[in-house]
Amino acid sequence: MSEKVDKALEYYQKGDYQKAIDTFSSVLETEKDSAEIHNNIALCYAQLGDMEKAEKYYLKAQELNPKLPQVYINLSDVYYRKKDMDSGIQLLSQGIFEIPDNLVLRHYLARFYMEDARLDLAIDELEYVLEKQPENYDAYYDLGKVHFELGNYQCAIENFENVLEFKDENPLIYYYLGQAYEANNEIDKALSNFLKTIARNQNFHPAYKKAAILFLAREDYEDAIEYFEDYIEMDIPQEEKNKIKELIERIKKKANE
């Protein structure tokens, strides 16, 4: 069996998913049912885009071994792609019942709650994860997004700041942090974080627009014009470019008054 499994895994790694399915299936013909093999066949079908068969094999794997965490993770991905949040939440809740110490399942459940707009339940799961894993920066990131969505901008700021302890070169975190500071009416800190976003990714065009707007709000017309001009040189819709060009002309006129 081991040689066949190794061969099937080799096919999978090469992207030859149908051959991998055929080889894994041949193992099931001679050996007793294996949750791991059913999980692997499901993975192949998922790669082929056949979600119906993928779900069927994942459910069989779950039936054979309800304490195999990878099955819950993989099947939840199928439900996520199908936008079937109810099934994903039900599945992951069952997984947590079977494997209560698995924090990955709790984190996945939180993300399903986020997608399903059950934000309070998402907070409960994320805070539980962070209680057990205080250095889980992905959980801080998700918790920051939830609090931002709820309008709890100070909490969002605190969680995004926590992410920076681990991922201080990630431009997206600085951008989200800038948005949170802006929403919390801390304009200087917001501007600082938008500029840090640009420093880490000079092609992150939304940060140029944000920075320009804040410079404009401070009546710093020269810098506002500079960042708007950088912005319209980027890959943005022509209609947007035309609007910003008109705005630049109005700012120049205002600055010369």
Side-chain angles (χ1 to χ4, degrees):
M1 180 178 78
S2 178
E3 289 182 6
K4 283 188 176 182
V5 171
D6 289 344
K7 190 64 178 176
L9 292 172
E10 182 181 331
Y11 285 135
Y12 182 88
Q13 293 297 328
K14 290 179 178 178
D16 196 340
Y17 303 117
Q18 189 57 58
K19 281 188 178 179
I21 290 169
D22 293 341
T23 308
F24 281 130
S25 297
S26 71
V27 173
L28 293 177
E29 290 174 3
T30 57
E31 304 291 335
K32 67 177 183 178
D33 276 343
S34 161
E36 289 80 3
I37 297 298
H38 280 84
N39 177 68
N40 289 338
I41 293 173
L43 277 170
C44 294
Y45 278 120
Q47 291 288 353
L48 290 171
D50 191 337
M51 296 305 167
E52 185 175 341
K53 286 185 178 178
E55 181 180 5
K56 171 187 170 183
Y57 277 91
Y58 282 136
L59 290 172
K60 182 62 177 179
Q62 181 193 11
E63 177 187 332
L64 291 168
N65 184 358
K67 297 188 181 297
L68 188 63
Q70 201 59 41
V71 174
Y72 295 100
I73 293 169
N74 293 338
L75 180 52
S76 71
D77 183 60
V78 171
Y79 291 140
Y80 193 89
R81 285 196 259 176
K82 291 168 62 177
K83 302 298 182 185
D84 186 353
M85 299 302 147
D86 285 342
S87 294
I89 288 168
Q90 182 178 351
L91 172 77
L92 290 164
S93 298
Q94 178 64 28
I96 291 168
F97 174 79
E98 296 287 351
I99 323 165
D101 294 332
N102 191 296
L103 298 179
V104 175
L105 297 182
R106 288 187 179 275
H107 198 161
Y108 270 64
L109 179 58
R111 287 177 171 170
F112 270 82
Y113 282 142
M114 290 167 67
E115 286 292 323
D116 206 41
R118 306 188 203 183
L119 301 183
D120 289 341
L121 293 175
I123 289 173
D124 289 343
E125 296 299 335
L126 290 167
E127 287 183 343
Y128 184 92
V129 170
L130 286 167
E131 181 183 337
K132 303 294 184 182
Q133 291 181 335
E135 297 186 356
N136 188 326
Y137 59 82
D138 282 332
Y140 284 121
Y141 171 75
D142 286 335
L143 192 54
K145 289 201 297 183
V146 172
H147 281 299
F148 185 89
E149 189 71 21
L150 287 169
N152 302 330
Y153 301 123
Q154 188 57 48
C155 289
I157 288 166
E158 290 170 4
N159 281 283
F160 289 138
E161 292 280 10
N162 283 335
V163 176
L164 290 177
E165 293 185 18
F166 308 98
K167 304 284 284 186
D168 63 353
E169 292 300 318
N170 188 319
L172 192 59
I173 301 303
Y174 286 104
Y175 185 74
Y176 283 138
L177 190 52
Q179 287 185 307
Y181 275 122
E182 182 183 13
N184 208 42
N185 203 30
E186 296 181 69
I187 302 305
D188 289 344
K189 289 182 178 180
L191 180 55
S192 173
N193 279 282
F194 291 135
L195 295 177
K196 288 175 181 177
T197 302
I198 294 167
R200 285 156 179 81
N201 182 351
Q202 295 183 359
N203 297 316
F204 199 111
H205 62 79
Y208 285 88
K209 184 177 182 180
K210 285 283 191 178
I213 290 170
L214 294 184
F215 277 126
L216 181 59
R218 298 196 327 187
E219 298 186 353
D220 188 343
Y221 300 128
E222 185 176 340
D223 283 331
I225 291 168
E226 177 186 346
Y227 279 87
F228 275 132
E229 288 181 337
D230 288 339
Y231 176 62
I232 60 175
E233 292 300 317
M234 297 185 170
D235 186 18
I236 59 175
Q238 187 60 47
E239 183 180 357
E240 171 78 347
K241 290 186 180 186
N242 294 339
K243 289 180 180 178
I244 298 300
K245 285 178 182 177
E246 292 175 5
L247 177 57
I248 290 171
E249 292 305 312
R250 292 201 300 270
I251 297 170
K252 287 179 177 178
K253 184 177 179 180
K254 178 73 174 176
N256 291 327
E257 287 179 354

